[in-house]
Amino acid sequence: MGHVLLAAPPVTRFALHQRLAKALLARGHRATVLAGDPVSYEFHARQGLAVLPWRARGVETTLLPLEDFAATDLTLWGRSTTRGDAFAARVRTLGRLASGLREVFERERPECVFLHQERGGIHRLVHFLAREHGVPVLHTGTGLLPHTMQWDESGLDGDSSLCRRIAYDYRDHARDEVFLAAALAAWTAGIQPFALPQDPASPVPAARGLVALAEAWRQGLGREALHSWSAAREWHPQTAPAAPAPVQPPDGPYVVLLAQDPRDPRLLLDAPQAPAQTTLLRGVRGAASALDPACRVVVLGAPATELPESEGVLFLPLDAAPALLATALAAVTVNHPLGIGALLMGTPLLHLGRSAYGIRGVATQTALVGLEADLRAALHLDPGTLRERFLTRVLQNDHVWCSARLPDHNGVRGLVERIEMLLRVPGPYARGRHYRPGPAWPLAVSP
């Protein structure tokens, strides 16, 4: 059967990779973890998985866009410069890793590469060299709705094929009102997936961890190794979160602002010119007041650096999104994934950054300068069937209904089916689909 390379998996998502590896092995495939740093190697090796160390070799001399990959890393680290010692060191590190990765592709001959969640330079390097060797790549990451994951062969979020589509691409896709109603019901009710049991992870001994950290620092992977070490020490089987406390929407009209953490890769990579959250809040507050002096702004999911308190602004946790988005006049965000929740509820959505829902007629692309006028226009926008066609295709075809932290049987089966399609080996997809897209409930309930 096929050989699947689980490349540079984050330790925080160990439960998903462990379940996926077991499912692939049960289907007769070979599943190998390519550790992204020495600490990750130690952790995954102690869990009984087949693990390959990613050893840096001589500096890569062939033509590779290493500067672009290094610039991505520095952007994610909060550094805007592409000059200086840090940038040059990162280019050298990626060059050495490229040489080692070529050796892996030539020696192990994987037939599919699985990349999850990360969008850094190392993961872009894996994608580039996999394509160079003719190996298909499947990217997965946090989905637009809770307990879902994006999947795409191009990348995640702004790198995905979804962000290259236009309204014309959804013209022939049928809308599924029953499916969308089920998705909305499961999200608003806070339905949790029927998660598979998770085994405790074997800890990495402190001595081995320190040796691995020293080796990672020597290879220029100290930052990655520190993240892996912290995650490995804190990892424990995941459980369903407690139900959030009920929230009462405010009296009178209000506009929702979906705030994002300044370190969110969607902001740093897909909307680098977006205004700061404080500036955006002032703009939304001004546009809402111009619309109606009594209109308030409700900020959901304010980042760790709290936004300033001001009159007419209410701060609530992101858990309140289902209740608040349902009765809001409109929702405004840069490119928060839960913007799709507003679309499911029929609430007008305005966004300032690159996102999968950035389709004219589905959501409204705006900027601070024209926010007031765009808000007024969005309230009268009639998307017709385009919005439902968009939602049906994106949530049925471009997402797998599987929680990355609480993987369930149906979701893992969907991942295996998608991988087998890329492997082009006989599988369940050739005899009819067994994976069912959609939430565990209410679609699981027979009529």
Side-chain angles (χ1 to χ4, degrees):
M1 301 293 274
H3 180 197
V4 181
L5 190 68
L6 310 179
V11 172
T12 53
R13 301 297 171 89
F14 164 66
L16 174 67
H17 288 85
Q18 182 191 46
R19 278 294 171 184
L20 178 57
K22 287 183 176 180
L24 290 169
L25 291 172
R27 291 284 301 165
H29 303 294
R30 179 186 171 197
T32 306
V33 173
L34 176 64
D37 62 79
V39 174
S40 177
Y41 173 83
E42 290 289 340
F43 174 81
H44 287 95
R46 291 184 176 273
Q47 316 315 318
L49 298 176
V51 189
L52 294 173
W54 189 348
R55 294 189 176 91
R57 301 299 185 189
V59 176
E60 175 69 37
T61 57
T62 58
L63 294 177
L64 286 173
L66 298 177
E67 290 81 5
D68 293 341
F69 301 153
T72 297
D73 280 332
L74 265 66
T75 299
L76 291 172
W77 299 345
R79 304 179 186 180
S80 59
T81 179
T82 56
R83 294 185 176 87
D85 295 341
F87 178 73
R90 193 59 180 177
V91 171
R92 290 193 298 270
T93 296
L94 292 172
R96 292 192 296 267
L97 288 174
S99 298
L101 185 57
R102 286 190 189 278
E103 182 179 306
V104 170
F105 277 110
E106 292 165 3
R107 183 183 68 248
E108 302 294 332
R109 299 187 180 279
E111 295 160 272
C112 179
V113 172
F114 180 82
L115 285 169
H116 178 72
Q117 190 60 37
E118 305 296 337
R119 296 177 62 188
I122 288 177
H123 298 79
R124 291 176 184 254
L125 175 63
V126 172
H127 179 99
F128 188 94
L129 289 180
R131 292 296 182 87
E132 186 179 89
H133 285 79
V135 180
V137 182
L138 178 62
H139 293 263
T140 64
T142 302
L144 299 181
L145 278 182
H147 309 308
T148 68
M149 291 192 296
Q150 309 169 55
W151 58 6
D152 193 79
E153 295 176 39
S154 298
L156 297 177
D157 296 312
D159 300 326
S160 70
S161 62
L162 281 71
C163 287
R164 297 194 294 271
R165 294 178 189 163
I166 58 176
Y168 184 80
D169 295 316
Y170 296 93
R171 70 194 186 284
D172 294 329
H173 197 88
R175 56 180 179 168
D176 189 334
E177 296 179 358
V178 173
F179 169 82
L180 295 181
L184 178 58
W187 175 50
T188 55
I191 299 300
Q192 301 294 325
F194 302 137
L196 293 165
Q198 296 185 17
D199 300 327
S202 299
V204 178
R208 293 294 304 169
L210 291 174
V211 170
L213 280 170
E215 175 61 19
W217 212 266
R218 187 187 67 80
Q219 295 184 23
L221 299 172
R223 183 183 294 264
E224 289 83 355
L226 284 173
H227 284 302
S228 295
W229 178 244
S230 176
R233 296 186 66 183
E234 298 174 2
W235 196 92
H236 58 276
Q238 303 295 300
T239 57
V247 175
Q248 181 66 32
D251 296 330
Y254 64 92
V255 173
V256 167
L257 171 60
L258 291 168
Q260 294 169 260
D261 193 298
R263 298 165 296 179
D264 188 342
R266 297 182 184 93
L267 288 181
L268 297 174
L269 299 180
D270 304 333
Q273 305 303 320
Q277 296 290 324
T278 303
T279 305
L280 178 58
L281 175 58
R282 286 198 296 265
V284 174
R285 182 74 186 99
S289 297
L291 188 68
D292 183 341
C295 187
R296 304 177 69 182
V297 175
V298 178
V299 182
L300 297 181
T305 54
E306 292 187 3
L307 298 174
E309 298 282 351
S310 62
E311 185 179 357
V313 178
L314 178 64
F315 293 86
L316 291 174
L318 192 60
D319 291 340
L324 273 295
L325 288 174
T327 54
L329 286 178
V332 181
T333 185
V334 176
N335 54 9
H336 197 289
L338 272 187
I340 202 169
L343 299 179
L344 273 172
M345 291 177 166
T347 301
L349 175 65
L350 296 90
H351 66 102
L352 290 80
R354 182 176 174 83
S355 180
Y357 48 68
I359 304 291
R360 186 175 183 180
V362 173
T364 301
Q365 178 86 41
T366 187
L368 278 181
V369 175
L371 183 56
E372 178 184 339
D374 288 337
L375 178 58
R376 291 181 182 276
L379 297 180
H380 302 284
L381 176 66
D382 181 10
T385 60
L386 176 60
R387 180 180 292 184
E388 292 178 344
R389 288 177 176 175
F390 163 82
L391 289 169
T392 301
R393 178 174 177 181
V394 167
L395 292 178
Q396 278 189 344
N397 298 356
D398 301 313
H399 280 65
V400 58
W401 287 75
C402 181
S403 170
R405 297 189 179 276
L406 298 169
D408 65 313
H409 179 67
N410 179 64
V412 172
R413 186 164 54 184
L415 288 171
V416 172
E417 288 187 12
R418 181 67 177 265
I419 289 172
E420 289 187 339
M421 292 177 67
L422 295 176
L423 289 171
R424 301 183 183 277
V425 298
Y429 66 89
R431 303 188 300 271
R433 295 178 63 87
H434 294 277
Y435 158 72
R436 176 193 52 76
W441 179 94
L443 287 185
V445 180
S446 300

